[in-house]
Amino acid sequence: MPAAAQAAAVRNGDVSAAELVGSHLDRIADVNPRVNAVTQLMAERAREAAARTDARRAAGAEPGPLAGVPFTVKETTAVEGVPTTMGAARFRDLVAEADAPPVARLRAAGAVPIGHSNVPTLILAGMHTRSELFGDTVNPWDPSRTPGGSSGGDGAAVATGMAALGLGNDSGGSVRIPASFC
């Protein structure tokens, strides 16, 4: 289901946020070993956020327009308490003290970060998503091809249903190219 339909299902009580997050975590476990798009899985944190969403909904509070929708976050974008590696070994322990504004906004809308996604090392490698820290992400439809661009991890994650949304960024095609390739 598209992200909007997933959120509507959670808001309407057709599915719990916990079930939605759980199904995406299962999908990551099944698919990610083949495509290597999700680099740092935030499973426990995602389950806790989903439980909070379900509790808000059960208490009659509005869970948000993106209630329970799992999203990946490009390795260049800060998620509080998680290393922002930029795909480089030297930044492996660079733990973010706060969410980047787009992550905070998605959380405020009820969405749930489920994992970081792969990027070229320091986003300098051009069209292929290969990092020294996490290796190659492959195109989910043809592993001999690139997922494209520096947001290739997000493109592959969304295309394969590992996440409903991917939070990439774009200045020269970094989101548009993976969206097209994947």
Side-chain angles (χ1 to χ4, degrees), residues 24-25 28-29 38-45 47 82 114-116:
H24 283 83
L25 290 171
I28 291 168
V38 177
T39 54
Q40 297 185 75
L41 190 60
M42 302 171 200
E44 288 312 308
R45 296 171 62 141
R47 286 186 185 103
V82 179
I114 201 163
H116 262 306

